[in-house]
Amino acid sequence: MGMKISVRQICFILIMYTAVSKFIVYPTVLSHYSGRDLLFSALADFAVQAVIVWAVSFLCSRTDKTFFALLEGTFGNITARIIFGLFALFFIVCAVIPLFEQKVYVHAIFYDALPALSVFLPFFGFAVYAAAKGFQNIGRCADICLPIFIVSMLFIFAMSISEIKWDNFLPVLKTPAKNVLGASVLTAFRFFEPCWLLMFMGHFKYKKGDAAKITLSYAGGALIVLLFLAAFYGMYGDMAVTRQFAVSKISLFFPAIDLIGRIDLIALYVLEIVMLFAMIINVQLCVYCISKCTGYKNKTVISIALNAALIIMLILLDNKLSALITIWSKWMWIAFVLFANVIPLLAWTLRRREKK
């Protein structure tokens, strides 16, 4: 079996997609739950995920089998297919909130004069095409996105850094612990990166030291999010709760905007490319899981069916984003703890042939 994705590309994915998937609604929600101590809530989630990312990447050094092959070798083909069917459902659950957030965000920031759905439907043309592609395509997209991500982030941070008021974070850790940790639990559904690694397992060539590289890349993505949260709350303080679409708000006070207009929109427009690829990865992995579960090889047909289901969901639940976020934060964290935390750790118990 040819290797489909490289460690370099996996590292890029963990840096970029981890970060951009948490730029739109997450900072506002976190401000609501844990106020000026929002960095500690985020840090708790990232710390747990980093340990699991390390555990899965270290497991890749112990076997060159795919996750499906490990399941099959331990429980047999039928059980492996059932588990992959459940993962397909899980990846759909992962995709729903980012999809709705993107729809609302793109409409509000770039096309507020047009109906929201008509703006977003063309995205599904891209989604059908991308989701039908395999891991090679995911890796190539990561290579393309990295320079775009770096340039747009430098722009956004450069425009915001002078406006941060650090005293907005004082006094530190005076928020009740149950609020800080409660915020970590209520936003746990935004953390699913270890599952990506489980799916990539056996599809890349592991070399000595790669577990450290992969884990450090995840930590890098986490650091970008923490800096972003610091910039957002540092600018708005208690008003952060009322500011929707954080990424579009942190460069608003850049002095040059008064002279030359909304140049920050260029950076946001460019960053949107990375956000779309980050959103699509869960759909791509869902298609992969369905293909493995059913044994049906035509991924284009699966992709069309899956995206059609997502379009129907978008139309039926139009303007229901806050209700969905409430359901996901109150109940879905259980599924996320199971699939993104427990199962990746349990993968160590699967029967594997040690690598020579």
Side-chain angles (χ1 to χ4, degrees):
M1 180 188 62
M3 291 302 151
K4 308 280 179 59
I5 191 166
S6 70
V7 171
R8 179 193 77 243
Q9 291 165 336
I10 291 172
C11 290
F12 292 171
I13 285 168
L14 288 179
I15 292 169
M16 295 184 293
Y17 298 173
T18 297
V20 296
S21 62
K22 296 171 186 67
F23 279 176
I24 299 180
V25 177
Y26 177 64
T28 309
V29 172
L30 214 49
S31 311
H32 170 71
Y33 290 139
S34 48
R36 68 176 80 87
D37 289 317
L38 80 170
L39 292 175
F40 295 99
S41 301
L43 195 57
D45 276 323
F46 278 123
V48 171
Q49 298 297 301
V51 169
I52 297 160
V53 163
W54 175 81
V56 178
S57 40
F58 193 56
L59 178 58
C60 295
S61 72
R62 291 283 180 263
T63 178
D64 38 23
K65 287 183 170 184
T66 63
F67 182 47
F68 188 85
L70 286 180
L71 289 169
E72 199 174 25
T74 310
F75 303 117
N77 183 265
I78 302 294
T79 309
R81 285 180 179 223
I82 291 168
I83 291 170
F84 261 65
L86 293 171
F87 265 100
L89 283 174
F90 176 69
F91 282 122
I92 279 288
V93 169
C94 293
V96 168
I97 298 288
L99 184 70
F100 275 80
E101 284 181 358
Q102 275 293 333
K103 181 183 82 82
V104 178
Y105 165 75
V106 166
H107 180 247
I109 305 302
F110 303 124
Y111 303 104
D112 55 348
L114 297 168
L117 271 174
S118 64
V119 168
F120 204 65
L121 284 177
F123 155 76
F124 284 101
F126 161 70
V128 166
Y129 171 76
K133 300 291 176 196
F135 291 155
Q136 244 168 336
N137 181 269
I138 293 176
R140 282 188 195 134
C141 294
D143 284 333
I144 294 165
C145 285
L146 189 76
I148 299 173
F149 174 72
I150 291 170
V151 171
S152 47
M153 288 317 298
L154 286 173
F155 250 92
I156 289 168
F157 278 131
M159 287 185 205
S160 60
I161 200 88
S162 61
E163 306 301 320
I164 299 170
K165 299 176 184 67
W166 295 105
D167 51 358
N168 278 337
F169 293 98
L170 300 175
V172 176
L173 279 180
K174 286 286 185 277
T175 313
K178 74 174 199 315
N179 291 26
V180 175
L181 292 173
S184 300
V185 173
L186 290 165
T187 54
F189 68 88
R190 297 181 183 277
F191 295 83
F192 35 66
E193 295 82 9
C195 294
W196 298 347
L197 269 184
L198 268 188
M199 297 300 141
F200 294 152
M201 205 173 154
H203 292 283
F204 67 93
K205 194 163 182 54
Y206 186 94
K207 291 193 282 300
K208 197 172 179 348
D210 283 346
K213 283 182 199 162
I214 291 169
T215 311
L216 286 171
S217 300
Y218 184 71
L223 182 64
I224 292 166
V225 176
L226 293 171
L227 289 171
F228 183 82
L229 290 170
F232 178 63
Y233 200 85
M235 284 175 130
Y236 290 103
D238 294 340
M239 288 163 57
V241 185
T242 62
R243 295 293 177 265
Q244 291 300 324
F245 317 125
V247 71
S248 67
K249 297 292 188 284
I250 72 164
S251 46
L252 272 181
F253 297 119
F254 185 54
I257 285 181
D258 294 339
L259 297 171
I260 41 185
R262 293 288 308 271
I263 46 168
D264 61 317
L265 282 178
I266 301 168
L268 293 177
Y269 215 87
V270 172
L271 189 65
E272 182 60 27
I273 298 167
V274 187
M275 286 185 170
L276 289 178
F277 281 113
M279 184 170 61
I280 215 85
I281 192 168
N282 287 317
V283 185
Q284 287 170 313
L285 293 176
C286 179
V287 169
Y288 167 72
C289 288
I290 292 172
S291 178
K292 281 291 201 188
C293 167
T294 58
Y296 186 65
K297 294 284 184 279
N298 192 333
K299 287 188 176 166
T300 307
V301 173
I302 299 172
S303 176
I304 290 168
L306 187 56
N307 280 290
L310 288 171
I311 290 171
I312 291 164
M313 192 185 291
L314 261 189
I315 293 167
L316 292 179
L317 299 173
D318 199 18
N319 302 324
K320 297 280 190 294
L321 175 61
S322 56
L324 284 169
I325 289 177
T326 305
I327 294 167
W328 257 240
S329 51
K330 289 229 167 83
W331 299 108
M332 286 299 179
W333 64 269
I334 302 163
F336 281 80
V337 167
L338 179 63
F339 281 90
N341 299 290
V342 178
I343 293 176
L345 291 177
L346 287 178
W348 271 92
T349 65
L350 298 173
R351 191 181 303 149
R352 60 185 188 274
R353 247 190 3 262
E354 290 289 325
K355 271 167 82 167
K356 296 286 181 287

